Amino acid sequence: MTETDTKESFRRRLVFFIALMLLYGAIFLLLTRTGLFTPTHNDRLFSADDHYYSTEFFSAELDDSPRIIKHPLLIVFGCAFTRLERAVLGEVSLRRHYELIVMLQMCASVLAVFFLDLILEGLYKLKCSRALTMCAVFALSFSALFFTFVAESYILSALLLTATFYFARRHLWIVTAILGVLTAGVTLTNGVMWALIVLLSGDKFRKRAVVIVSAAAVFCALAAALPIREIFYSTLLSGSAGSLRNYSDRFGFLEVVARTFFAFFGSTLFYLKTDSASPFGDFGGDALSFTPAASVPVVIAGLLWLAALVFAVVKFRKDSRIWAPLAVIAANILLHGAAQYGLKEAFLYSLHHLPAQVLCVSLLLSPEAGEKTGKIAAWCATGFFVLVVALNVPGYIELFRFIGR
């Protein structure tokens, strides 16, 4: 790449990220005019626990509930964040507190897109325009937008997992180990996803094993050193078993296939058809949840995305770059699809695997795909981005009407 090309690429990235931040800022200002930032009850929007998250996770008093086993370090961070907020700003309203959490999430979302671009341009060698198109698909997907502006942990997980794909692939193991501690600390089960990425990112096996063991040891030591230690270690096994019992479904085979398709290749990117209650039938008329159904255009778009993913996996099956993201997708499908853990509300876990999906599909735009395939894929990616934006407009209108009541 010539110096002129490098400068042009930098300008494009700069314009893209400025535009993304302006767009996110405009959405934030628009949402401040609605009731979104005034928590009422959990599960009002697609099973998100934003009320509990913004009042208990991010609280000046450390949460002492069994939720600690799922989000141990995040709860400690949320407590520290809230105490710092009060030290600097004094006592603020719950609405303003929620808004400050969302501002933090907006930063995390932009950083996740930034690391995605680093992977696509730096490791996958995509042309700048192609890489930014795929970044735009992720940044404006429904799940990325939703979990940027609704107080929950998922955009933080997306950032940490995407950063892990980057640093592990570059074999920067100290940073990768730190990311492992943080990833498990935000959502404990994602520690497994982090370990899969490390195992399948090359370099000597001994080094990868040392990184995984070291990160696990540091995480356990941190959990033991922090005020959460008693609850975390005393309820870890019983709480995990209880969670599996409480949130595992027993759908028939065809129902599992339909729900898995819409959860993994539908609501990750698109707004589906909804029910006016939580996934468990609560809060009738005062909640929204996705059904395993969508309009014909959305179903077709989801099938096209799935077809592109399958084609990429087949075409690049011998390319080591696809192994880690593919393992993350497979592990999530096994857990939330085949094992049916949380399948009824599987939209919640979208950002645990959407970055991996984008990475897999993006290989079709890389130089290794061939010039003809790359050009076709680039045009298709642009068209798909238009679909993502256009097909979600009716859903956004419904969502704004709901939260604006």
Side-chain angles (χ1 to χ4, degrees), residues 12 77 79 96 174 192-194 198-199 206 238-240 310 322 336 338:
R12 288 185 180 184
F77 170 78
C79 180
R96 180 57 55 86
I174 294 177
V192 176
M193 306 305 160
W194 172 86
V198 173
L199 282 173
R206 181 183 298 176
S238 60
S240 299
V310 172
I322 206 169
H336 302 300

Side-chain angles (χ1 to χ4, degrees), residues 126-135 365-366 371 374-375 378:
L126 267 65
K127 294 179 181 178
C128 181
S129 58
R130 296 181 180 183
L132 293 180
T133 298
M134 295 307 296
C135 285
L365 288 77
S366 67
E371 184 176 352
K375 285 183 178 180

Side-chain angles (χ1 to χ4, degrees), residues 28-305:
F28 176 77
L29 291 176
L30 182 61
L31 289 172
T32 60
R33 299 175 179 272
T34 71
L36 177 62
F37 300 138
T38 306
T40 55
H41 58 77
N42 291 330
D43 296 344
R44 60 174 179 159
L45 293 174
F46 310 110
S47 210
D49 290 339
D50 61 324
H51 176 73
Y52 193 94
Y53 187 83
S54 57
T55 59
E56 300 297 331
F57 278 30
F58 282 77
S59 169
E61 300 299 325
L62 189 67
D63 185 18
D64 59 358
S65 74
R67 290 174 187 255
I68 282 175
I69 65 172
K70 294 183 179 180
H71 312 282
L73 302 187
L74 175 59
I75 288 175
V76 176
F77 170 78
C79 180
F81 177 93
T82 306
R83 290 177 180 177
L84 178 61
E85 169 197 293
R86 292 189 178 183
V88 175
L89 302 176
E91 202 71 39
V92 299
S93 67
L94 184 57
R95 181 186 184 92
R96 180 57 55 86
H97 177 60
Y98 194 125
E99 290 173 352
L100 290 170
I101 295 170
V102 170
M103 289 180 187
L104 174 67
Q105 294 184 179
M106 289 165 63
C107 295
S109 187
V110 173
L111 277 174
V113 179
F114 175 73
F115 278 110
L116 187 60
D117 180 57
L118 284 181
I119 296 170
L120 297 182
E121 293 197 56
L123 302 180
Y124 286 17
K125 305 302 180 184
L126 267 65
K127 294 179 181 178
C128 181
S129 58
R130 296 181 180 183
L132 293 180
T133 298
M134 295 307 296
C135 285
V137 169
F138 173 80
L140 295 185
S141 66
F142 179 73
S143 59
L145 282 176
F146 181 84
F147 289 116
T148 295
F149 296 101
V150 172
E152 264 283 15
S153 65
Y154 299 101
I155 194 64
L156 301 179
S157 292
L159 166 60
L160 293 170
L161 289 172
T162 306
T164 300
F165 280 119
Y166 176 71
F167 286 106
R169 189 70 199 178
R170 292 193 60 197
H171 303 159
L172 298 174
W173 295 125
I174 294 177
V175 179
T176 302
I178 294 171
L179 287 169
V181 174
L182 296 177
T183 301
V186 169
T187 301
L188 188 63
T189 52
N190 272 342
V192 176
M193 306 305 160
W194 172 86
L196 286 173
I197 297 171
V198 173
L199 282 173
L200 296 170
S201 292
D203 208 355
K204 294 181 180 179
F205 176 77
R206 181 183 298 176
K207 287 185 179 181
R208 288 174 282 158
V210 167
V211 171
I212 293 172
V213 172
S214 298
V218 171
F219 171 79
C220 292
L222 266 179
L226 293 169
I228 61 169
R229 57 185 173 274
E230 186 174 342
I231 297 174
F232 179 75
Y233 283 110
S234 65
T235 62
L236 180 59
L237 294 179
S238 60
S240 299
S243 180
L244 285 171
R245 287 194 304 271
N246 294 335
Y247 295 101
S248 293
D249 296 303
R250 294 291 185 270
F251 296 114
F253 176 75
L254 293 180
E255 181 78 357
V256 169
V257 171
R259 285 182 175 272
T260 300
F261 169 76
F262 283 107
F264 279 81
F265 313 109
S267 58
T268 46
L269 294 156
F270 301 104
Y271 194 98
L272 307 181
K273 291 183 178 179
T274 59
D275 276 337
S276 56
S278 77
F280 300 97
D282 299 323
F283 310 111
D286 193 28
L288 286 176
S289 63
F290 284 134
T291 64
S295 65
V296 172
V298 169
V299 172
I300 293 174
L303 288 170
L304 289 173
W305 178 257

